[in-house]
Amino acid sequence: MGASKTEVESTVREEEEEAEKNHTMAGGEVTPIPLLTPYKKGKFLLSHRVVLAPLTRMRSFNNVPQPQAILYYCQRATKGGLLISEATGVSDTAQGFPHTPGIWTKEQVEAWKPLVDSVHAKGGVFFCQIWHVGRMSTSDLQPNGQAPISSTDKPPKPLVLAGSDEVTELTPPRRLKTHEIPQIVNDFRIAARNAIEAGFDGVEIHAAHGYLLEQFMKDQVNDRTDEYGGTMQNRCRFTLEIVEAVVNEIDADKVGIRLSPFANYNEAGDSNPEALGLYMVQSLNKYRILYCHMVEPRMENAWEKSETPHSLLPMKKAFNGTFMIAGGYGRDDGNNAVSNNCTDLVAYGRVFLANPDLTKRFELDAPLNEYNRETFYTFDPVVGYTDYPFLESTV
């Protein structure tokens, strides 16, 4: 069931006045909350620094965004707030999970348009995350039942989604031939162009979490002997070629990237993550992209925080654009990260999923809804999707 016009109009009206408020009262004086202070990101003037992280929700049936997503994104949009879409496939070989959206067909582009319009109607800024899962797939999700493509032919371990006991046996991948790689680069370029046609303000290239781009970048996976394997420069070549192609297509001020050098998602670790992260941000400066979105080293796996000796601060100092971090942040440590100049923006995932009025709750230091992992990846168009409650004062 899709969102009704009344529901969407109601959420558009919500926070019209609230979006202008980004301070709390303390001792009779206005005290700024670091997370809720304005920030200029390129040509975009953000009213706060709380970002909706890209979150796979598996409710885009047959890889086409559905009307119910209008309400989902609209609920979380604020005037001057940045939202990043769920990971969106660049081609029919990019899919690794059922009912994830794509942006390689005309039908998909047209389906995205009302979603983007709903976010813009609330004054939000909306970027589309474009991805390719690489070897994290099965032949059932691939065209003509073929093997998934990757940097390697090494198969990953079976996959278990959060909130599920079901084990998915992944199909052993096929190693991309050197001459095939430019076609994948071109798929990202076309996806970026399609995203702009759909009305998005820009794209975020998904180069994290053990998907295709990391399968090339990280030496735990990449066992190639051609110009895309071996040295760090060779392993990063594919990702940087994609960045260059996307920048040339839609301009650097509409391009961001997500990286997770320290993480071991989907068995994609690296022997020298510090050097990998620094090499990537320094190389990205050449293309003058808008932002770099980095996953904290404390998020070594998908769901649990752990303390590590690593730091993203050298990468922030080395990168010339806007720096964004993600990694299980809350209100207090998010505020500290901003106030201590460790980041410009903070992306929130699970907590934003469960609290569509997250910025208001941060403003009031109000209690947060608990998220339910069991409904993260169900196909229900409402449950665990658009039914998380708002604070009474914002409804």
Side-chain angles (χ1 to χ4, degrees):
M1 227 182 130
S4 69
K5 182 178 179 182
T6 302
E7 287 177 308
V8 174
E9 289 176 346
S10 174
T11 56
V12 169
R13 288 194 300 270
E14 285 171 8
E15 306 165 357
E16 279 293 323
E17 296 180 0
E18 306 294 344
E20 299 295 335
K21 301 176 182 178
N22 59 1
H23 297 83
T24 54
M25 298 299 293
E29 297 181 357
V30 176
T31 302
I33 300 172
L35 281 168
L36 301 184
T37 54
Y39 177 78
K40 191 174 189 302
K41 181 171 75 86
K43 64 183 179 182
F44 305 105
L45 182 59
L46 304 181
S47 61
H48 58 78
R49 298 164 188 251
V50 177
V51 179
L52 175 66
L55 297 165
T56 291
R57 304 310 316 274
M58 290 168 55
R59 286 154 168 98
S60 295
F61 306 124
N62 298 315
N63 308 127
V64 178
Q66 298 295 303
Q68 59 262 22
I70 296 174
L71 181 58
Y72 172 75
Y73 284 110
C74 195
Q75 284 177 333
R76 289 155 182 80
T78 56
K79 186 175 182 182
L82 173 62
L83 280 68
I84 306 170
S85 82
E86 59 209 278
T88 302
V90 300
S91 71
D92 58 357
T93 70
Q95 305 305 304
F97 306 90
H99 305 308
T100 53
I103 198 160
W104 72 87
T105 72
K106 183 67 174 176
E107 180 186 10
Q108 292 163 345
V109 171
E110 292 301 315
W112 273 114
K113 287 181 178 179
L115 276 67
V116 178
D117 288 346
S118 72
V119 171
H120 286 162
K122 291 192 71 175
V125 178
F126 205 5
F127 271 55
C128 181
Q129 189 190 65
I130 52 178
W131 76 333
H132 194 301
V133 301
R135 69 176 184 164
M136 301 307 297
S137 186
T138 68
S139 58
D140 291 343
L141 294 170
Q142 294 296 310
N144 304 314
Q146 67 192 36
I149 58 176
S150 181
S151 63
T152 181
D153 54 12
K154 294 185 297 187
K157 294 176 182 177
L159 182 68
V160 181
L161 290 175
S164 171
D165 295 326
E166 185 177 344
V167 177
T168 301
E169 294 285 344
L170 300 171
T171 303
R174 177 180 71 82
R175 185 192 308 268
L176 277 167
K177 296 181 174 67
T178 307
H179 74 267
E180 295 177 301
I181 291 175
Q183 178 57 54
I184 310 303
V185 174
N186 195 52
D187 288 339
F188 275 85
R189 181 188 66 79
I190 293 172
R193 182 180 69 195
N194 288 345
I196 299 304
E197 182 183 340
F200 283 101
D201 298 294
V203 300
E204 177 178 285
I205 298 167
H206 195 349
H209 297 173
Y211 296 117
L212 182 62
L213 276 62
E214 268 210 344
Q215 290 161 31
F216 275 82
M217 284 192 289
K218 292 192 170 179
D219 58 15
Q220 183 175 324
V221 181
N222 188 332
D223 56 1
R224 303 176 72 91
T225 57
D226 63 0
E227 59 263 43
Y228 292 94
T231 67
M232 184 180 299
Q233 290 80 359
N234 281 356
R235 286 184 277 115
C236 294
R237 186 189 307 275
F238 176 51
T239 298
L240 294 172
E241 286 179 350
I242 288 172
V243 171
E244 182 174 23
V246 169
V247 164
N248 288 342
E249 183 67 32
I250 66 171
D251 295 332
D253 63 353
K254 302 181 183 72
V255 179
I257 192 169
R258 195 178 211 200
L259 300 169
S260 58
F262 295 101
N264 192 32
Y265 294 93
N266 296 323
E267 302 170 74
D270 193 82
S271 61
N272 194 344
E274 295 95 340
L276 176 64
L278 273 173
Y279 176 78
M280 279 300 299
V281 296
Q282 289 166 346
S283 300
L284 290 167
N285 285 335
K286 170 185 173 182
Y287 303 103
R288 305 175 65 86
I289 64 172
L290 183 62
Y291 73 83
C292 181
H293 181 182
M294 300 282 280
V295 178
E296 278 282 2
R298 61 182 178 169
M299 298 301 290
E300 292 190 314
N301 60 61
W303 304 113
E304 302 298 333
K305 286 191 289 188
S306 60
E307 296 305 320
T308 74
H310 312 299
S311 171
L312 296 180
L313 194 56
M315 294 160 208
K316 180 185 185 296
K317 291 179 178 177
F319 184 64
N320 293 338
T322 291
F323 200 78
M324 184 191 317
I325 57 174
Y329 277 89
R331 181 182 188 270
D332 292 342
D333 54 357
N335 279 327
N336 289 338
V338 173
S339 62
N340 292 329
N341 200 30
C342 296
T343 190
D344 302 308
L345 307 172
V346 182
Y348 290 86
R350 290 162 284 170
V351 69
F352 214 155
L353 177 157
N355 296 272
D357 55 350
L358 184 63
T359 53
K360 186 64 178 177
R361 290 175 188 260
F362 279 175
E363 178 189 342
L364 301 175
D365 200 10
L368 300 178
N369 299 324
E370 293 290 333
Y371 54 80
N372 181 1
R373 290 185 183 179
E374 293 182 358
T375 62
F376 281 179
Y377 304 118
T378 65
F379 305 147
D380 194 290
V382 175
V383 177
Y385 193 53
T386 57
D387 61 344
Y388 280 104
F390 286 73
L391 288 169
E392 290 185 10
S393 62
T394 65
V395 174

